[in-house]
């Protein structure tokens, strides 16, 4: 099931904001096609105390303080936490000066929220949008394995195959931080749509695209431009591109307009053992193993169409 149906699609956003996570949250909150049941924070780009706070700051920026934000896991299932302040700055949302949030953090643990929501909503109606390490989803599957058959789908930003990795030559950050959780998710039988670096590296925050956002001249658009100007610096230098990849919003864009993207169904396995390639997403793109397909792996995108969608939605906030 994809977007464009009449009833808004129920989603939970699992996230580690992060500037690109922030833009993904804004895109989701701007849409009337999506019903954001809750946002669960996870440790990733920065520690949990910052990701849960950042998630609330972004909801307030969108003027949606009624959105429920839950704090999930503080550290990966089996490994020490690896963070990425070198990309996102020490707060995770470096760039603009945003006020501390007034809206409360929900008392329930994020993993309990995921489990309770999936058990109480009708089966097959809730999509999990994962924008960070998969720890919360792995823990939810461990706690209540029966949720696997109740999830409509997981749409995730994670992995990389033709592009390789961005933390090690083999691994992308979200999978690298918690390969054991990612392994559980890919083995769970839940339908998966995967947005790897192969597609996100085609969605660049070029000067002209940021100028379009700036032209909206709203508090949200100004904050987004400042967030992205900070965020793109690291990758522009690394890849020598005009703009940096806008990874996480591709997850939400896929729900809103899947026709912008193309990919193929593949078998995907996660390397958890080798110190050299831990967190690698081994994608059987050429179908050489005969192993069952467990993910729709996206490789291409209409990047201009993606930015049209983003600008149109940011204008609503
Ligand atoms: C992913 O890692 C984080 O730094 C970004 O927020 C994105 O989710 C890209 O590898
Ligand atoms: Ca992220």
């Amino acid at each position: 099931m994809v977007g464009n149906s009449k009833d808004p699609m129920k989603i939970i956003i699992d996230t580690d904001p992060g500037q690109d996570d922030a833009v993904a949250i804004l895109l989701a909150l701007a849409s009337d096609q999506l019903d954001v049941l809750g946002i669960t924070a996870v440790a990733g780009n920065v520690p949990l105390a910052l990701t849960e706070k950042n998630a609330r700051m972004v909801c307030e920026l969108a003027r949606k303080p009624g959105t429920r934000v839950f704090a999930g896991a503080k550290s990966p299932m089996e490994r020490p936490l690896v963070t990425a302040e070198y990309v996102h700055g020490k707060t995770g949302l470096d760039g603009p000066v945003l006020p501390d949030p007034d809206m409360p953090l929900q008392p329930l643990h994020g993993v309990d929220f995921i489990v309770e929501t999936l058990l109480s909503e009708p089966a097959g109606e809730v999509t999990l949008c994962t924008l960070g390490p998969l720890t919360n989803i792995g823990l939810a599957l461990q706690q209540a394995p029966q949720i696997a058959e109740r999830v409509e789908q997981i749409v995730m930003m994670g992995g990389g195959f033709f592009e390789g990795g961005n933390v090690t030559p083999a691994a992308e950050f979200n999978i690298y931080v918690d390969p054991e959780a990612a392994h559980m998710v890919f083995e769970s039988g839940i339908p998966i749509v995967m947005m790897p670096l192969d597609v996100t590296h085609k969605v660049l925050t070029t000067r002209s695209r940021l100028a379009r956002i700036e032209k909206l001249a709203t508090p949200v658009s100004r904050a987004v431009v400042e967030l992205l100007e900070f965020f793109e610096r690291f990758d522009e230098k690394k890849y020598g591109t005009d703009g940096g990849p806008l990874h996480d919003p591709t997850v939400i864009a896929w729900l809103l307009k899947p026709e912008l993207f193309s990919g193929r169904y593949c078998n995907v396995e996660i390397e958890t053992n080798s110190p050299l390639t831990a967190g690698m997403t081994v994608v059987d793109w050429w179908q050489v193993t005969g192993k069952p397909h467990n993910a729709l792996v996206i490789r291409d995108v209409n990047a201009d169409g993606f930015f049209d969608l983003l600008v149109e939605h940011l204008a609503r906030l």
Side-chain angles (χ1 to χ4, degrees):
M1 254 285 290
V2 294
N4 300 333
S5 56
K6 275 203 193 111
D7 287 334
M9 207 184 309
K10 295 176 193 171
I11 66 169
I12 294 173
I13 302 177
D14 188 71
T15 178
D16 62 337
Q19 291 90 348
D20 60 325
D21 303 71
V23 177
I25 293 169
L26 292 171
L27 178 58
L29 292 179
S31 169
D32 49 18
Q33 292 177 56
L34 301 176
D35 178 5
V36 182
L37 301 179
I39 297 178
T40 50
V42 66
N45 288 321
V46 285
L48 182 69
L50 287 168
T51 59
E52 62 86 351
K53 179 181 168 201
N54 291 347
R56 289 183 290 137
M57 282 160 63
V58 174
C59 293
E60 290 193 353
L61 176 65
R63 286 185 295 168
K64 308 267 183 185
T67 312
R68 294 184 299 165
V69 174
F70 303 81
K74 275 198 177 72
S75 54
M77 292 181 74
E78 294 180 20
R79 300 174 188 240
L81 177 64
V82 175
T83 53
E85 286 88 354
Y86 58 95
V87 181
H88 299 270
K90 70 174 184 334
T91 68
L93 286 188
D94 277 22
V97 179
L98 296 173
D100 279 353
D102 287 326
M103 61 185 274
L105 181 67
Q106 298 296 312
L108 195 61
H109 191 283
V111 172
D112 294 333
F113 170 73
I114 292 169
V115 169
E116 287 181 18
T117 304
L118 288 167
L119 294 181
S120 60
E121 291 287 338
E125 285 196 6
V126 178
T127 288
L128 302 178
C129 299
T130 65
L131 314 179
L134 289 156
T135 316
N136 285 341
I137 315 301
L139 289 171
L141 284 166
Q142 200 172 57
Q143 187 174 311
Q146 71 273 30
I147 62 170
E149 53 200 32
R150 303 184 66 86
V151 180
E152 180 173 5
Q153 61 187 338
I154 294 180
V155 187
M156 71 164 68
M157 192 280 133
F161 191 61
F162 295 96
E163 282 288 290
N166 60 359
V167 189
T168 71
E172 180 278 330
F173 181 79
N174 290 341
I175 308 295
Y176 177 78
V177 172
D178 199 339
E180 284 73 24
H183 172 74
M184 283 188 74
V185 168
F186 277 90
E187 295 292 299
S188 69
I190 300 170
I192 294 172
V193 181
M194 173 177 162
M195 294 290 174
L197 299 176
D198 306 289
V199 66
T200 66
H201 280 185
K202 294 174 179 163
V203 181
L204 296 175
T205 56
T206 61
R207 288 298 91 204
S208 60
R209 288 168 178 162
L210 285 191
R212 284 184 67 193
I213 298 175
E214 196 161 25
K215 235 172 124 187
L216 297 174
T218 62
V220 170
S221 75
R222 274 189 285 273
V224 166
V225 169
E226 288 176 28
L227 285 166
L228 295 182
E229 281 179 341
F230 184 93
F231 181 52
E232 70 189 7
R233 275 186 260 179
F234 179 84
D235 283 334
E236 279 184 324
K237 202 162 158 217
K238 179 173 174 190
Y239 300 118
T241 46
D242 173 13
L246 193 48
H247 308 280
D248 293 339
T250 58
V251 166
I252 306 299
W254 192 83
L255 294 176
L256 300 177
K257 216 169 179 187
E259 59 272 27
L260 291 173
F261 298 91
S262 61
R264 63 169 71 160
Y265 287 95
C266 299
N267 179 269
V268 180
E269 291 186 81
I270 310 296
E271 175 59 53
T272 53
N273 292 318
S274 155
L276 181 63
T277 57
M280 182 176 182
T281 45
V282 181
V283 176
D284 184 10
W285 184 264
W286 303 113
Q287 319 283 323
V288 294
T289 63
K291 289 182 181 171
H293 297 162
N294 57 355
L296 173 58
V297 180
I298 305 296
R299 191 174 175 189
D300 276 304
V301 59
N302 168 355
D304 286 330
F306 168 90
F307 275 92
D308 289 344
L309 182 81
L310 180 62
V311 172
E312 178 207 314
H313 278 74
L314 292 177
R316 298 180 191 178
L317 291 173

